[in-house]
Amino acid sequence: MSKNTNAQPPEKLTGIKLKDIPDSAVGFKAITSALKHVTKEVGLVKGIGLLKNLNQKDGFDCPGCAWPDPDAKRAFLAEYCENGAKAVAEEATKDKVSPLFFATHSVNELSKLSDYEIGKSGRITQPMYLPEGKDNYEEISWENAFSIIGQELNALQSPDEAIFYTSGRTSNEAAYLYQLFVRHYGTNNLPDCSNMCHESSGSALSETLGIGKGSVTLEDFNHADLVIVMGQNPGTNHPRMLTALGETKNNGGKIITVNPLPEVGLLNYKDPQDPLKWVGSGQDLTDLFLQVKINGDVALLKIILKLMKEKEVASPNSVFNHEFINSKTEGLDALLNDLDTFSIEELLPQTGLTLEEIEKATELIINNDKIIICWAMGLTQHKNAVDNIRELVNILLLKGSIGKKGAGTCPVRGHSNVQGDRTMGIWEKMPDSFIDNLEKEFSFKAPRKHGYDVVNSIEAMHKGKAKVFIGMGGNFVSATPDTEYTADALRNCNLTVHISTKLNRSHLIHGKQALILPCLGRSEKDITANGEQFITVENSMGVVHQSKGHLKPHSPFLLSETAIVAGMATATLVNSNVNWTKLASDYDLIRNKIEATIPGFDNYNEKARIKGGFYLPNNARDNNFSPTATGKANFTLNQPSDLNLNKNEFIMMTIRTHDQYNTTIYGLNDRYRGVLNERRIVFMNEEDMKENNLNQLDLVDLVSHFNNQKRIAKGFLVVKYDIPKQCTATYFPEANVLVPIKSVARKSNTPTSKTVIITVEKR
Ligand SMILES: Nc1nc2c(c(=O)[nH]1)N[C@H]1C(S)=C(S)[C@@H](COP(=O)(O)OP(=O)(O)OC[C@H]3O[C@@H](n4cnc5c(=O)[nH]c(N)nc54)[C@H](O)[C@@H]3O)O[C@H]1N2
Ligand SMILES: Nc1nc2c(c(=O)[nH]1)N[C@H]1C(S)=C(S)[C@@H](COP(=O)(O)OP(=O)(O)OC[C@H]3O[C@@H](n4cnc5c(=O)[nH]c(N)nc54)[C@H](O)[C@@H]3O)O[C@H]1N2
Ligand SMILES: [Mo]
């Protein structure tokens, strides 16, 4: 029976309404929208109680984004945002998916629902098992569930036939224990959501600066002269970042925004902290908006570099920071020579901008020293994504704008603990030094061969080279590219297991057998044989801090992620010398092991108890680039886009609405873009529509073109939008079916979710 993957949806359009685009973000509307969601999911009284604990020093970490909390004062309303509130409401919902629900709804039937409807079914209450050949999940005991996992893992010919995925909400403690289990079992197949997210940043930053993380702290935003926000929509995805940008402006700094879309939040916002500012015209954030074409960033940055060089040659010492360059960097001459091989005339059309606009940006860069560059998925999900990030590092290095107050790199992370999971060893290619420490501490032989990342995992399952899939959180089938291909890959497995809070499509597109293991969420109390536990997480700026849930667990059958790892490990590793159960019953013991094996965690248990947490070491922040291959910060040579569009072809970027968290759909509105009650839409430029004989709200099919292959997603509505010519935008995950599995970034192997070549075909 072929279950629905979302590729060919029930073609149920939901009744689109188009509204004017608001002229500012946040403000009163954001508060009311948040309260509406919270009240609907959990009720008002419990909802207010929940929000009170969100991101407070003795509360729990918001399961939304990874934006940091202020080190000092935290206000009630300030430390949550509309979308943080929605994330919490979604987890704390009163709706339950019980064994009776599964008995009365077959998997095939559920697969016909939209992602929105699936998610709204609620929290899973008990471990569930789908036996081979059956179409209804059945109740199973934890013991039997673990024993099936142990049996299937031990039946494989090699541990490399199993895949252990992680999404980025998992705590440091659970992640550490998970990777330890997986490496004890014998593989490095630890793909994670980062492979689809900031892998390009990690790759570029490690090579150029010797650390895969950003260098700035929140405080730096108060001191920056210039902040450049590239390929990011913080009004929706990191709303609390707007407060930091507001501070930059209050202190006299300037902001450049580089984006194909005029995202409302970046243009103007109303501080939620200050009710007096909810009315009135709000604060203008962006000083210069560069409406770049999709994937035109390397071309733009290269023109800026060429203009900087021109000025420096004409007037030596007026642009470059020679002291910094001489003492800290490597490769300047090669960069300057390489710039001569590109001409501005050639590069300019790729940007879609005028030279005057780029000159203005260059002027701001030349005239300011303390520069922060922020970015997210608009830069990391292209074929030349690593080039994007290395090129912006070139600019910072020429200016010496790193390793000092108010300056540096700011990759804005997605999932709330995606950075911590990496620090804990969730990566298919952890360095030898990490593996050495594990071996020493736990006296075992750990695998050295690098494992599969996300894309390689899908290929391996598709080819039958991997047969067991275990997902620690996330929604693999919907988040990954090439939905139909990935669905077939999962169907090939002997067993698929998901450790989840809520029902999602990955539970419905399954292997021969499947298990759903329901776990506690962040907002819930975690009580073990040793009493109440807290967890720790690392935010986007390398601050590790504690998080402690306050709510009664949703169901008495839930286990923590840590306990689930211990259960799987005990059932699988019969001769293990690690006492998994003991570790899982006292998280201080896990933190001791982390301290013993990972640099930067000295006195972890003590420091984890400091309210507000502690900073991990960061060499780039300290102006030390010795961990790179050359021992210095490296200039690099980068390639602009090599796209060549045929007539009638468009570049498509897949983006998030204001009403979703990745594949979790909170609602059907994209308020800041004026689109209500519909997700199957394609944003298009007005002239492109005319040239292609398309009208507002025409029903179309989208066809992607890659290596002579076609992929089709049916039933989208055309929406006229302020977007550069030949660029289009659709929503993730509905359009993932169009992202070809082999279309990946060089080096980071990240799916090119922001560069998909499509044609728009009228019904
Ligand atoms: N509420 C909410 N918060 C979230 C998430 C969520 O889904 N909902 N997801 C979390 C996660 S995991 C992540 S990774 C982040 C994602 O945060 P974002 O990266 O902000 O998310 P996207 O919606 O993918 O937006 C990409 C932005 O880049 C722009 N863009 C696209 N292509 C290009 C390009 O070629 N060049 C430039 N310069 N810009 C481009 C788009 O117009 C858009 O503004 O947010 C995190 N926070
Ligand atoms: N086309 C396209 N594809 C993309 C992207 C894009 O921009 N465009 N973005 C990519 C990015 S940046 C990312 S990060 C990935 C996201 O990929 P994933 O992290 O795999 O996806 P999510 O939608 O965040 O996962 C949601 C599910 O996680 C489970 N969950 C929620 N909280 C918890 C928890 O506390 N514990 C556990 N165990 N489970 C929990 C719930 O069951 C929920 O259904 O998607 C990527 N895919
Ligand atoms: Mo992400």
Side-chain angles (χ1 to χ4, degrees), residues 262-273:
E263 303 282 26
V264 169
L266 277 169
L267 301 181
N268 185 291
Y269 110 112
K270 291 175 184 163
D271 190 349
Q273 265 183 80

Side-chain angles (χ1 to χ4, degrees), residues 442-643:
F442 295 96
S443 318
F444 77 115
K445 194 105 203 80
R448 298 278 168 165
K449 194 176 96 186
H450 288 174
Y452 297 130
D453 60 12
V454 163
V455 166
N456 291 335
S457 295
I458 297 169
E459 304 257 32
M461 290 187 281
H462 208 269
K463 291 188 187 124
K465 287 209 262 172
K467 298 177 178 139
V468 173
F469 174 91
I470 298 182
M472 175 59 81
N475 182 2
F476 195 81
V477 78
S478 294
T480 51
D482 225 338
T483 316
E484 291 292 13
Y485 185 89
T486 302
D488 283 342
L490 288 166
R491 288 180 188 123
N492 265 349
C493 288
N494 296 336
L495 173 68
T496 48
V497 181
H498 287 91
I499 297 146
S500 313
T501 50
K502 298 195 74 176
L503 191 67
N504 66 44
R505 194 170 297 278
S506 297
H507 305 134
L508 311 175
I509 306 294
H510 51 81
K512 292 192 186 77
Q513 311 171 71
L515 283 164
I516 309 176
L517 307 181
C519 65
L520 294 173
R522 285 269 174 87
S523 53
E524 291 165 326
K525 278 192 184 146
D526 184 353
I527 299 174
T528 70
N530 271 300
E532 195 169 342
Q533 305 294 315
F534 67 86
I535 56 151
T536 52
V537 292
E538 175 183 343
N539 67 30
S540 203
M541 292 173 187
V543 179
V544 177
H545 62 93
Q546 64 160 278
S547 167
K548 195 170 174 183
H550 286 68
L551 294 182
K552 187 171 149 223
H554 218 72
S555 136
F557 300 102
L558 302 184
L559 289 183
S560 70
E561 290 180 344
T562 317
I564 294 173
V565 173
M568 294 195 296
T570 310
T572 308
L573 308 170
V574 267
N575 295 321
S576 169
N577 56 2
V578 177
N579 188 337
W580 302 95
T581 315
K582 191 168 167 207
L583 285 173
S585 67
D586 182 353
Y587 297 177
D588 276 357
L589 299 179
I590 304 180
R591 284 186 285 267
N592 286 339
K593 293 295 183 189
I594 295 172
E595 175 173 344
T597 49
I598 305 180
F601 287 87
D602 312 327
N603 304 320
Y604 192 9
N605 271 310
E606 211 174 291
K607 289 202 277 187
R609 285 173 169 80
I610 301 173
K611 297 264 159 95
F614 64 96
Y615 280 89
L616 286 178
N618 185 308
N619 60 278
R621 186 175 294 160
D622 297 340
N623 209 9
N624 161 17
F625 307 101
S626 58
T628 69
T630 61
K632 297 239 171 131
N634 292 308
F635 286 107
T636 49
L637 313 184
N638 300 303
Q639 292 309 313
S641 164
D642 59 4
L643 273 182

Side-chain angles (χ1 to χ4, degrees), residues 244-549:
L245 294 175
E247 290 296 326
T248 303
K249 294 284 305 215
N250 289 340
N251 293 325
K254 295 260 190 288
I255 294 172
I256 303 179
T257 292
V258 183
N259 200 306
L261 303 179
E263 303 282 26
V264 169
L266 277 169
L267 301 181
N268 185 291
Y269 110 112
K270 291 175 184 163
D271 190 349
Q273 265 183 80
D274 189 349
L276 292 177
K277 293 189 186 154
W278 292 354
V279 287
S281 57
Q283 181 179 21
D284 287 331
L285 292 179
T286 294
D287 296 280
L288 178 64
F289 172 43
L290 299 179
Q291 191 164 16
V292 70
K293 280 193 175 183
I294 299 172
N295 202 17
D297 301 271
V298 170
L300 164 65
L301 296 169
K302 233 181 236 316
I303 295 176
I304 294 177
L305 285 165
K306 281 180 74 77
L307 295 173
M308 287 168 74
K309 177 184 169 188
E310 229 171 68
K311 174 107 192 268
E312 174 70 21
V313 171
S315 161
N317 292 322
S318 65
V319 181
F320 296 173
N321 182 335
H322 289 285
E323 194 191 324
F324 178 86
I325 294 172
N326 292 337
S327 62
K328 298 286 181 185
T329 71
E330 188 77 40
L332 176 69
D333 291 344
L335 171 70
L336 295 180
N337 291 335
D338 187 63
L339 286 176
D340 292 340
T341 65
F342 296 91
S343 76
I344 292 185
E345 295 67 44
E346 229 171 20
L347 294 168
L348 198 58
Q350 273 202 20
T351 68
L353 301 163
T354 64
L355 189 55
E356 292 69 47
E357 288 172 299
I358 303 178
E359 280 166 349
K360 273 192 200 150
T362 312
E363 202 62 12
L364 281 169
I365 291 170
I366 288 176
N367 292 336
N368 289 293
D369 283 329
K370 290 183 280 172
I371 304 171
I372 296 176
I373 306 187
C374 308
W375 70 93
M377 298 304 101
L379 292 198
T380 63
Q381 299 175 331
H382 302 280
K383 184 171 164 193
N384 62 345
V386 177
D387 300 66
N388 268 339
I389 295 141
R390 294 191 313 193
E391 200 76 318
L392 68 85
V393 169
N394 281 338
I395 291 185
L396 292 176
L397 292 179
L398 285 177
K399 295 283 302 174
S401 256
I402 186 148
K404 66 180 183 198
K405 213 180 211 178
T409 52
C410 184
V412 184
R413 299 280 162 180
H415 268 299
S416 51
N417 198 39
V418 62
Q419 190 158 314
D421 290 347
R422 268 295 161 89
T423 308
M424 292 300 115
I426 303 289
W427 196 21
E428 70 282 355
K429 45 185 183 202
M430 284 305 281
D432 278 343
S433 58
F434 179 89
I435 308 280
D436 292 342
N437 289 350
L438 280 189
E439 287 189 336
K440 231 187 286 153
E441 182 66 24
F442 295 96
S443 318
F444 77 115
K445 194 105 203 80
R448 298 278 168 165
K449 194 176 96 186
H450 288 174
Y452 297 130
D453 60 12
V454 163
V455 166
N456 291 335
S457 295
I458 297 169
E459 304 257 32
M461 290 187 281
H462 208 269
K463 291 188 187 124
K465 287 209 262 172
K467 298 177 178 139
V468 173
F469 174 91
I470 298 182
M472 175 59 81
N475 182 2
F476 195 81
V477 78
S478 294
T480 51
D482 225 338
T483 316
E484 291 292 13
Y485 185 89
T486 302
D488 283 342
L490 288 166
R491 288 180 188 123
N492 265 349
C493 288
N494 296 336
L495 173 68
T496 48
V497 181
H498 287 91
I499 297 146
S500 313
T501 50
K502 298 195 74 176
L503 191 67
N504 66 44
R505 194 170 297 278
S506 297
H507 305 134
L508 311 175
I509 306 294
H510 51 81
K512 292 192 186 77
Q513 311 171 71
L515 283 164
I516 309 176
L517 307 181
C519 65
L520 294 173
R522 285 269 174 87
S523 53
E524 291 165 326
K525 278 192 184 146
D526 184 353
I527 299 174
T528 70
N530 271 300
E532 195 169 342
Q533 305 294 315
F534 67 86
I535 56 151
T536 52
V537 292
E538 175 183 343
N539 67 30
S540 203
M541 292 173 187
V543 179
V544 177
H545 62 93
Q546 64 160 278
S547 167
K548 195 170 174 183

